[in-house]
Short mmCIF file of all heavy atoms in Angstrom, two decimals:
data_model
loop_
_atom_site.label_atom_id
_atom_site.label_comp_id
_atom_site.label_asym_id
_atom_site.label_seq_id
_atom_site.Cartn_x
_atom_site.Cartn_y
_atom_site.Cartn_z
N MET A 1 96.36 68.73 104.17
CA MET A 1 97.78 68.89 104.01
C MET A 1 98.36 69.42 105.33
O MET A 1 97.74 70.24 106.01
CB MET A 1 98.04 69.87 102.88
CG MET A 1 99.50 70.05 102.60
SD MET A 1 99.87 71.11 101.19
CE MET A 1 99.01 70.29 99.89
N LYS A 2 99.53 68.98 105.65
CA LYS A 2 100.19 69.42 106.89
C LYS A 2 101.17 70.55 106.59
O LYS A 2 101.73 70.63 105.50
CB LYS A 2 100.93 68.25 107.53
CG LYS A 2 100.01 67.17 108.04
CD LYS A 2 100.79 66.10 108.76
CE LYS A 2 99.81 65.03 109.24
NZ LYS A 2 100.51 63.99 109.99
N TYR A 3 101.33 71.40 107.58
CA TYR A 3 102.23 72.55 107.47
C TYR A 3 103.18 72.58 108.65
O TYR A 3 102.80 72.27 109.77
CB TYR A 3 101.42 73.86 107.47
CG TYR A 3 100.55 74.01 106.26
CD1 TYR A 3 99.29 73.43 106.21
CD2 TYR A 3 100.99 74.72 105.16
CE1 TYR A 3 98.49 73.56 105.09
CE2 TYR A 3 100.19 74.85 104.04
CZ TYR A 3 98.95 74.27 104.01
OH TYR A 3 98.16 74.40 102.91
N LYS A 4 104.42 73.00 108.39
CA LYS A 4 105.39 73.24 109.45
C LYS A 4 105.47 74.74 109.67
O LYS A 4 105.41 75.51 108.73
CB LYS A 4 106.77 72.72 109.06
CG LYS A 4 106.89 71.23 109.01
CD LYS A 4 108.32 70.83 108.69
CE LYS A 4 108.44 69.34 108.61
NZ LYS A 4 109.81 68.93 108.28
N LYS A 5 105.59 75.12 110.92
CA LYS A 5 105.75 76.54 111.24
C LYS A 5 107.23 76.87 111.30
O LYS A 5 108.04 76.09 111.79
CB LYS A 5 105.11 76.86 112.59
CG LYS A 5 103.63 76.69 112.60
CD LYS A 5 103.08 76.97 113.99
CE LYS A 5 101.58 76.75 114.03
NZ LYS A 5 101.04 76.97 115.39
N GLU A 6 107.58 78.04 110.80
CA GLU A 6 108.95 78.54 110.91
C GLU A 6 108.91 79.77 111.81
O GLU A 6 108.16 80.71 111.56
CB GLU A 6 109.48 78.91 109.53
CG GLU A 6 110.92 79.35 109.56
CD GLU A 6 111.43 79.62 108.16
OE1 GLU A 6 111.80 78.66 107.48
OE2 GLU A 6 111.42 80.80 107.78
N TYR A 7 109.70 79.73 112.87
CA TYR A 7 109.71 80.81 113.86
C TYR A 7 110.86 81.78 113.61
O TYR A 7 111.89 81.41 113.04
CB TYR A 7 109.82 80.23 115.27
CG TYR A 7 108.60 79.47 115.69
CD1 TYR A 7 108.51 78.10 115.49
CD2 TYR A 7 107.52 80.11 116.27
CE1 TYR A 7 107.38 77.39 115.87
CE2 TYR A 7 106.39 79.41 116.65
CZ TYR A 7 106.32 78.05 116.45
OH TYR A 7 105.19 77.36 116.82
N CYS A 8 110.71 83.00 114.07
CA CYS A 8 111.70 84.05 113.87
C CYS A 8 113.05 83.70 114.50
O CYS A 8 114.08 83.79 113.86
CB CYS A 8 111.18 85.36 114.44
SG CYS A 8 112.30 86.74 114.23
N TYR A 9 113.04 83.29 115.76
CA TYR A 9 114.29 83.04 116.47
C TYR A 9 114.66 81.56 116.53
O TYR A 9 115.82 81.21 116.46
CB TYR A 9 114.21 83.57 117.91
CG TYR A 9 113.88 85.04 117.99
CD1 TYR A 9 112.72 85.47 118.62
CD2 TYR A 9 114.70 86.00 117.43
CE1 TYR A 9 112.40 86.82 118.69
CE2 TYR A 9 114.39 87.35 117.49
CZ TYR A 9 113.23 87.75 118.12
OH TYR A 9 112.91 89.08 118.18
N GLY A 10 113.68 80.71 116.67
CA GLY A 10 113.95 79.31 116.93
C GLY A 10 113.96 78.40 115.72
O GLY A 10 114.16 77.20 115.86
N GLY A 11 113.71 78.92 114.52
CA GLY A 11 113.65 78.05 113.35
C GLY A 11 112.39 77.21 113.36
O GLY A 11 111.28 77.75 113.29
N GLU A 12 112.52 75.89 113.47
CA GLU A 12 111.35 75.01 113.48
C GLU A 12 110.76 74.82 114.88
O GLU A 12 109.69 74.26 115.03
CB GLU A 12 111.70 73.66 112.88
CG GLU A 12 111.94 73.71 111.39
CD GLU A 12 112.17 72.35 110.79
OE1 GLU A 12 112.03 71.33 111.51
OE2 GLU A 12 112.48 72.30 109.59
N LYS A 13 111.47 75.28 115.91
CA LYS A 13 110.98 75.15 117.29
C LYS A 13 110.88 76.53 117.91
O LYS A 13 111.75 77.38 117.71
CB LYS A 13 111.92 74.28 118.11
CG LYS A 13 111.94 72.85 117.64
CD LYS A 13 112.76 71.98 118.54
CE LYS A 13 112.73 70.55 118.03
NZ LYS A 13 113.41 69.64 118.91
N ARG A 14 109.83 76.74 118.67
CA ARG A 14 109.62 78.02 119.34
C ARG A 14 110.70 78.24 120.40
O ARG A 14 110.99 77.36 121.21
CB ARG A 14 108.24 78.04 119.96
CG ARG A 14 107.84 79.40 120.43
CD ARG A 14 106.40 79.43 120.80
NE ARG A 14 106.09 80.78 121.22
CZ ARG A 14 104.94 81.16 121.67
NH1 ARG A 14 103.96 80.30 121.76
NH2 ARG A 14 104.74 82.39 122.04
N ASP A 15 111.28 79.43 120.41
CA ASP A 15 112.37 79.76 121.32
C ASP A 15 111.94 80.86 122.28
O ASP A 15 112.36 81.99 122.19
CB ASP A 15 113.59 80.20 120.52
CG ASP A 15 114.81 80.42 121.39
OD1 ASP A 15 114.89 79.81 122.47
OD2 ASP A 15 115.66 81.24 121.01
N GLY A 16 111.03 80.52 123.19
CA GLY A 16 110.59 81.48 124.20
C GLY A 16 109.25 82.11 123.87
O GLY A 16 108.71 81.97 122.77
N ALA A 17 108.74 82.85 124.84
CA ALA A 17 107.41 83.44 124.72
C ALA A 17 107.34 84.55 123.68
O ALA A 17 106.29 84.82 123.13
CB ALA A 17 106.97 83.98 126.08
N ASP A 18 108.46 85.21 123.38
CA ASP A 18 108.42 86.31 122.43
C ASP A 18 108.76 85.88 120.99
O ASP A 18 108.85 86.71 120.10
CB ASP A 18 109.36 87.43 122.87
CG ASP A 18 110.81 86.98 123.00
OD1 ASP A 18 111.05 85.77 123.04
OD2 ASP A 18 111.68 87.86 123.10
N ASP A 19 108.93 84.59 120.76
CA ASP A 19 109.17 84.09 119.41
C ASP A 19 107.84 84.02 118.65
O ASP A 19 106.79 83.78 119.23
CB ASP A 19 109.82 82.70 119.46
CG ASP A 19 110.61 82.38 118.21
OD1 ASP A 19 110.62 83.20 117.28
OD2 ASP A 19 111.22 81.30 118.17
N PHE A 20 107.85 84.26 117.35
CA PHE A 20 106.61 84.29 116.58
C PHE A 20 106.80 83.61 115.22
O PHE A 20 107.92 83.48 114.73
CB PHE A 20 106.12 85.72 116.40
CG PHE A 20 107.15 86.65 115.81
CD1 PHE A 20 107.22 86.85 114.44
CD2 PHE A 20 108.04 87.33 116.63
CE1 PHE A 20 108.17 87.70 113.90
CE2 PHE A 20 109.00 88.18 116.10
CZ PHE A 20 109.06 88.36 114.73
N VAL A 21 105.70 83.20 114.62
CA VAL A 21 105.72 82.49 113.34
C VAL A 21 105.99 83.48 112.21
O VAL A 21 105.35 84.53 112.13
CB VAL A 21 104.38 81.77 113.10
CG1 VAL A 21 104.36 81.11 111.73
CG2 VAL A 21 104.12 80.73 114.17
N THR A 22 106.93 83.15 111.34
CA THR A 22 107.23 84.00 110.19
C THR A 22 106.81 83.36 108.88
O THR A 22 106.69 84.05 107.87
CB THR A 22 108.73 84.33 110.11
OG1 THR A 22 109.47 83.11 110.05
CG2 THR A 22 109.17 85.14 111.31
N ALA A 23 106.61 82.02 108.88
CA ALA A 23 106.22 81.34 107.64
C ALA A 23 105.60 79.99 107.96
O ALA A 23 105.85 79.41 109.02
CB ALA A 23 107.42 81.15 106.74
N TYR A 24 104.79 79.51 107.02
CA TYR A 24 104.22 78.16 107.07
C TYR A 24 104.72 77.45 105.82
O TYR A 24 104.63 78.00 104.71
CB TYR A 24 102.69 78.21 107.06
CG TYR A 24 102.10 78.83 108.29
CD1 TYR A 24 101.92 80.21 108.38
CD2 TYR A 24 101.74 78.05 109.37
CE1 TYR A 24 101.38 80.79 109.52
CE2 TYR A 24 101.20 78.62 110.52
CZ TYR A 24 101.02 79.99 110.58
OH TYR A 24 100.49 80.55 111.71
N ILE A 25 105.24 76.24 105.97
CA ILE A 25 105.77 75.48 104.85
C ILE A 25 104.93 74.23 104.66
O ILE A 25 104.82 73.40 105.57
CB ILE A 25 107.25 75.13 105.07
CG1 ILE A 25 108.03 76.43 105.26
CG2 ILE A 25 107.79 74.34 103.90
CD1 ILE A 25 109.22 76.32 106.10
N ALA A 26 104.31 74.11 103.49
CA ALA A 26 103.42 73.00 103.19
C ALA A 26 104.20 71.75 102.82
O ALA A 26 105.38 71.82 102.45
CB ALA A 26 102.48 73.37 102.05
N GLU A 27 103.54 70.60 102.90
CA GLU A 27 104.15 69.33 102.52
C GLU A 27 104.61 69.34 101.07
O GLU A 27 105.58 68.69 100.71
CB GLU A 27 103.14 68.18 102.69
CG GLU A 27 102.84 67.83 104.11
CD GLU A 27 101.76 66.76 104.20
OE1 GLU A 27 100.81 66.77 103.38
OE2 GLU A 27 101.87 65.91 105.10
N ASN A 28 103.89 70.09 100.21
CA ASN A 28 104.24 70.13 98.79
C ASN A 28 105.34 71.15 98.48
O ASN A 28 105.66 71.38 97.33
CB ASN A 28 103.00 70.41 97.94
CG ASN A 28 102.39 71.77 98.20
OD1 ASN A 28 102.90 72.56 98.97
ND2 ASN A 28 101.26 72.03 97.56
N GLY A 29 105.91 71.77 99.51
CA GLY A 29 107.01 72.70 99.34
C GLY A 29 106.62 74.16 99.21
O GLY A 29 107.48 75.03 99.18
N LYS A 30 105.33 74.45 99.13
CA LYS A 30 104.88 75.85 99.04
C LYS A 30 105.17 76.56 100.37
O LYS A 30 105.02 75.99 101.44
CB LYS A 30 103.39 75.93 98.74
CG LYS A 30 102.99 75.30 97.44
CD LYS A 30 103.47 76.11 96.28
CE LYS A 30 103.04 75.43 94.98
NZ LYS A 30 103.44 76.16 93.83
N ARG A 31 105.57 77.81 100.26
CA ARG A 31 105.94 78.60 101.44
C ARG A 31 105.01 79.79 101.55
O ARG A 31 104.91 80.60 100.63
CB ARG A 31 107.38 79.05 101.30
CG ARG A 31 107.91 79.83 102.44
CD ARG A 31 109.38 80.20 102.18
NE ARG A 31 109.91 80.97 103.26
CZ ARG A 31 110.47 80.46 104.35
NH1 ARG A 31 110.57 79.16 104.46
NH2 ARG A 31 110.93 81.23 105.30
N ILE A 32 104.34 79.92 102.69
CA ILE A 32 103.45 81.04 102.97
C ILE A 32 104.16 81.94 103.98
O ILE A 32 104.42 81.53 105.10
CB ILE A 32 102.11 80.55 103.54
CG1 ILE A 32 101.41 79.61 102.56
CG2 ILE A 32 101.22 81.74 103.90
CD1 ILE A 32 100.21 78.89 103.14
N GLU A 33 104.49 83.15 103.55
CA GLU A 33 105.17 84.11 104.41
C GLU A 33 104.14 84.94 105.17
O GLU A 33 103.13 85.35 104.60
CB GLU A 33 106.02 85.07 103.57
CG GLU A 33 107.14 84.41 102.82
CD GLU A 33 108.32 84.04 103.68
OE1 GLU A 33 108.48 84.62 104.77
OE2 GLU A 33 109.08 83.16 103.26
N VAL A 34 104.39 85.19 106.43
CA VAL A 34 103.54 86.07 107.24
C VAL A 34 104.05 87.49 107.02
O VAL A 34 105.24 87.76 107.15
CB VAL A 34 103.59 85.70 108.73
CG1 VAL A 34 102.69 86.61 109.54
CG2 VAL A 34 103.21 84.25 108.93
N GLU A 35 103.14 88.40 106.65
CA GLU A 35 103.51 89.80 106.40
C GLU A 35 103.26 90.62 107.66
O GLU A 35 102.21 90.52 108.28
CB GLU A 35 102.68 90.36 105.24
CG GLU A 35 102.93 89.67 103.93
CD GLU A 35 102.08 90.22 102.81
OE1 GLU A 35 100.88 90.50 103.03
OE2 GLU A 35 102.62 90.39 101.71
N PHE A 36 104.24 91.43 108.02
CA PHE A 36 104.17 92.27 109.21
C PHE A 36 104.44 93.72 108.87
O PHE A 36 105.20 94.01 107.94
CB PHE A 36 105.24 91.85 110.24
CG PHE A 36 105.05 90.50 110.83
CD1 PHE A 36 105.70 89.40 110.31
CD2 PHE A 36 104.22 90.32 111.93
CE1 PHE A 36 105.54 88.15 110.87
CE2 PHE A 36 104.06 89.07 112.49
CZ PHE A 36 104.72 87.99 111.96
N ILE A 37 103.83 94.62 109.63
CA ILE A 37 104.22 96.03 109.67
C ILE A 37 104.46 96.31 111.14
O ILE A 37 103.53 96.26 111.95
CB ILE A 37 103.15 96.97 109.10
CG1 ILE A 37 103.02 96.79 107.60
CG2 ILE A 37 103.49 98.42 109.42
CD1 ILE A 37 102.03 97.71 106.93
N GLY A 38 105.69 96.56 111.50
CA GLY A 38 106.05 96.72 112.91
C GLY A 38 105.79 95.41 113.64
O GLY A 38 106.29 94.36 113.25
N ASN A 39 104.99 95.46 114.68
CA ASN A 39 104.67 94.27 115.46
C ASN A 39 103.32 93.68 115.09
O ASN A 39 102.86 92.75 115.75
CB ASN A 39 104.67 94.60 116.95
CG ASN A 39 106.06 94.89 117.46
OD1 ASN A 39 107.04 94.46 116.87
ND2 ASN A 39 106.15 95.63 118.54
N SER A 40 102.68 94.19 114.06
CA SER A 40 101.33 93.75 113.70
C SER A 40 101.35 92.89 112.44
O SER A 40 101.96 93.27 111.43
CB SER A 40 100.42 94.94 113.47
OG SER A 40 100.33 95.72 114.62
N ARG A 41 100.64 91.77 112.49
CA ARG A 41 100.48 90.93 111.32
C ARG A 41 99.43 91.57 110.42
O ARG A 41 98.38 91.95 110.87
CB ARG A 41 100.02 89.52 111.71
CG ARG A 41 99.83 88.61 110.51
CD ARG A 41 99.04 87.39 110.84
NE ARG A 41 97.77 87.65 111.48
CZ ARG A 41 96.65 88.02 110.84
NH1 ARG A 41 96.65 88.22 109.56
NH2 ARG A 41 95.55 88.22 111.52
N ILE A 42 99.73 91.68 109.13
CA ILE A 42 98.76 92.28 108.21
C ILE A 42 98.22 91.28 107.20
O ILE A 42 97.25 91.57 106.52
CB ILE A 42 99.34 93.50 107.48
CG1 ILE A 42 100.56 93.12 106.64
CG2 ILE A 42 99.67 94.60 108.46
CD1 ILE A 42 100.96 94.16 105.64
N GLY A 43 98.85 90.13 107.06
CA GLY A 43 98.37 89.16 106.09
C GLY A 43 99.40 88.10 105.79
O GLY A 43 100.39 87.93 106.53
N TYR A 44 99.18 87.41 104.68
CA TYR A 44 100.02 86.30 104.28
C TYR A 44 100.34 86.43 102.80
O TYR A 44 99.51 86.92 102.02
CB TYR A 44 99.31 84.97 104.54
CG TYR A 44 98.89 84.84 105.98
CD1 TYR A 44 97.64 85.26 106.41
CD2 TYR A 44 99.76 84.31 106.92
CE1 TYR A 44 97.27 85.17 107.74
CE2 TYR A 44 99.40 84.22 108.24
CZ TYR A 44 98.15 84.65 108.65
OH TYR A 44 97.79 84.57 109.97
N ALA A 45 101.52 86.02 102.38
CA ALA A 45 101.93 86.12 100.99
C ALA A 45 102.48 84.79 100.49
O ALA A 45 103.18 84.09 101.22
CB ALA A 45 102.97 87.21 100.82
N MET A 46 102.13 84.47 99.24
CA MET A 46 102.66 83.27 98.60
C MET A 46 102.71 83.52 97.10
O MET A 46 101.72 83.95 96.49
CB MET A 46 101.78 82.05 98.89
CG MET A 46 102.35 80.77 98.33
SD MET A 46 101.23 79.38 98.48
CE MET A 46 99.95 79.87 97.36
N ASN A 47 103.86 83.28 96.50
CA ASN A 47 104.05 83.43 95.05
C ASN A 47 103.62 84.81 94.55
O ASN A 47 102.99 84.94 93.51
CB ASN A 47 103.31 82.35 94.28
CG ASN A 47 103.88 80.97 94.53
OD1 ASN A 47 105.02 80.83 94.96
ND2 ASN A 47 103.09 79.95 94.28
N GLY A 48 103.92 85.86 95.30
CA GLY A 48 103.62 87.21 94.88
C GLY A 48 102.18 87.65 95.09
O GLY A 48 101.82 88.76 94.72
N LYS A 49 101.36 86.81 95.67
CA LYS A 49 99.97 87.16 95.95
C LYS A 49 99.79 87.33 97.45
O LYS A 49 100.41 86.61 98.23
CB LYS A 49 99.02 86.08 95.45
CG LYS A 49 99.04 85.91 93.95
CD LYS A 49 98.10 84.81 93.52
CE LYS A 49 98.20 84.56 92.03
NZ LYS A 49 97.38 83.43 91.61
N SER A 50 98.93 88.26 97.85
CA SER A 50 98.66 88.50 99.26
C SER A 50 97.28 87.98 99.63
O SER A 50 96.35 88.05 98.82
CB SER A 50 98.73 89.99 99.57
OG SER A 50 100.05 90.45 99.44
N TYR A 51 97.18 87.48 100.85
CA TYR A 51 95.93 86.95 101.38
C TYR A 51 95.71 87.54 102.76
O TYR A 51 96.64 87.69 103.53
CB TYR A 51 95.99 85.42 101.48
CG TYR A 51 96.26 84.77 100.16
CD1 TYR A 51 97.56 84.48 99.76
CD2 TYR A 51 95.23 84.44 99.29
CE1 TYR A 51 97.81 83.89 98.54
CE2 TYR A 51 95.48 83.85 98.06
CZ TYR A 51 96.77 83.58 97.70
OH TYR A 51 97.02 83.00 96.49
N TYR A 52 94.45 87.87 103.06
CA TYR A 52 94.11 88.43 104.36
C TYR A 52 94.03 87.35 105.44
O TYR A 52 94.44 87.56 106.57
CB TYR A 52 92.79 89.19 104.26
CG TYR A 52 92.37 89.83 105.55
CD1 TYR A 52 93.06 90.93 106.07
CD2 TYR A 52 91.28 89.37 106.26
CE1 TYR A 52 92.68 91.53 107.26
CE2 TYR A 52 90.89 89.95 107.45
CZ TYR A 52 91.60 91.02 107.95
OH TYR A 52 91.22 91.61 109.13
N LYS A 53 93.52 86.16 105.06
CA LYS A 53 93.34 85.06 106.01
C LYS A 53 94.30 83.92 105.70
O LYS A 53 94.55 83.61 104.54
CB LYS A 53 91.91 84.53 105.94
CG LYS A 53 90.87 85.53 106.35
CD LYS A 53 89.49 84.92 106.24
CE LYS A 53 88.42 85.90 106.62
NZ LYS A 53 87.07 85.31 106.47
N LEU A 54 94.79 83.28 106.75
CA LEU A 54 95.67 82.12 106.59
C LEU A 54 94.94 81.00 105.87
O LEU A 54 95.53 80.32 105.03
CB LEU A 54 96.17 81.64 107.96
CG LEU A 54 97.08 80.43 107.96
CD1 LEU A 54 98.32 80.67 107.10
CD2 LEU A 54 97.47 80.06 109.37
N LYS A 55 93.67 80.82 106.14
CA LYS A 55 92.88 79.78 105.50
C LYS A 55 92.89 79.95 103.97
O LYS A 55 93.04 78.97 103.24
CB LYS A 55 91.44 79.82 106.02
CG LYS A 55 90.52 78.80 105.43
CD LYS A 55 89.13 78.93 106.01
CE LYS A 55 88.18 77.94 105.37
NZ LYS A 55 86.83 78.06 105.89
N ASP A 56 92.76 81.17 103.48
CA ASP A 56 92.78 81.43 102.04
C ASP A 56 94.14 81.13 101.45
O ASP A 56 94.24 80.57 100.35
CB ASP A 56 92.40 82.89 101.76
CG ASP A 56 90.97 83.20 102.14
OD1 ASP A 56 90.13 82.26 102.22
OD2 ASP A 56 90.68 84.39 102.38
N ALA A 57 95.21 81.48 102.15
CA ALA A 57 96.57 81.20 101.67
C ALA A 57 96.82 79.69 101.62
O ALA A 57 97.41 79.18 100.67
CB ALA A 57 97.59 81.89 102.56
N LYS A 58 96.34 78.96 102.63
CA LYS A 58 96.52 77.51 102.64
C LYS A 58 95.72 76.86 101.51
O LYS A 58 96.21 75.92 100.87
CB LYS A 58 96.11 76.92 103.99
CG LYS A 58 97.12 77.19 105.09
CD LYS A 58 96.71 76.54 106.39
CE LYS A 58 97.75 76.66 107.46
NZ LYS A 58 97.36 76.03 108.72
N ASN A 59 94.52 77.33 101.25
CA ASN A 59 93.73 76.80 100.14
C ASN A 59 94.45 77.02 98.81
O ASN A 59 94.47 76.14 97.95
CB ASN A 59 92.34 77.45 100.08
CG ASN A 59 91.44 76.94 101.19
OD1 ASN A 59 91.65 75.88 101.75
ND2 ASN A 59 90.42 77.73 101.51
N ALA A 60 95.04 78.18 98.63
CA ALA A 60 95.79 78.47 97.39
C ALA A 60 97.03 77.58 97.28
O ALA A 60 97.38 77.14 96.19
CB ALA A 60 96.18 79.94 97.36
N ALA A 61 97.68 77.30 98.40
CA ALA A 61 98.87 76.43 98.38
C ALA A 61 98.52 75.02 97.95
O ALA A 61 99.31 74.35 97.28
CB ALA A 61 99.53 76.41 99.76
N GLU A 62 97.34 74.57 98.30
CA GLU A 62 96.92 73.22 97.93
C GLU A 62 96.55 73.12 96.47
O GLU A 62 96.73 72.08 95.84
CB GLU A 62 95.76 72.78 98.82
CG GLU A 62 96.18 72.58 100.25
CD GLU A 62 95.03 72.20 101.18
OE1 GLU A 62 93.95 71.84 100.68
OE2 GLU A 62 95.24 72.28 102.40
N VAL A 63 96.03 74.21 95.88
CA VAL A 63 95.59 74.22 94.48
C VAL A 63 96.76 74.38 93.53
O VAL A 63 96.81 73.73 92.49
CB VAL A 63 94.55 75.34 94.25
CG1 VAL A 63 94.21 75.49 92.79
CG2 VAL A 63 93.31 75.07 95.08
N GLU A 64 97.69 75.27 93.86
CA GLU A 64 98.81 75.56 92.94
C GLU A 64 99.80 74.43 92.86
O GLU A 64 100.03 73.68 93.69
CB GLU A 64 99.51 76.84 93.37
CG GLU A 64 98.66 78.06 93.15
CD GLU A 64 99.39 79.35 93.47
OE1 GLU A 64 100.61 79.32 93.69
OE2 GLU A 64 98.74 80.37 93.50
#
């Protein structure tokens, strides 16, 4: 399955070196949010569940 990245400042396109990914949107419409505390990424969230690895969140997006 393919995913689009959503950036903080640039939307679907990266807008400079300090822009960062805030979400991944799957072809099936599932949205994986990147969870942050300050400037540090702590995990990923989808449908109220948290995942430590992006791979686990993407696997869940394909199953649900």
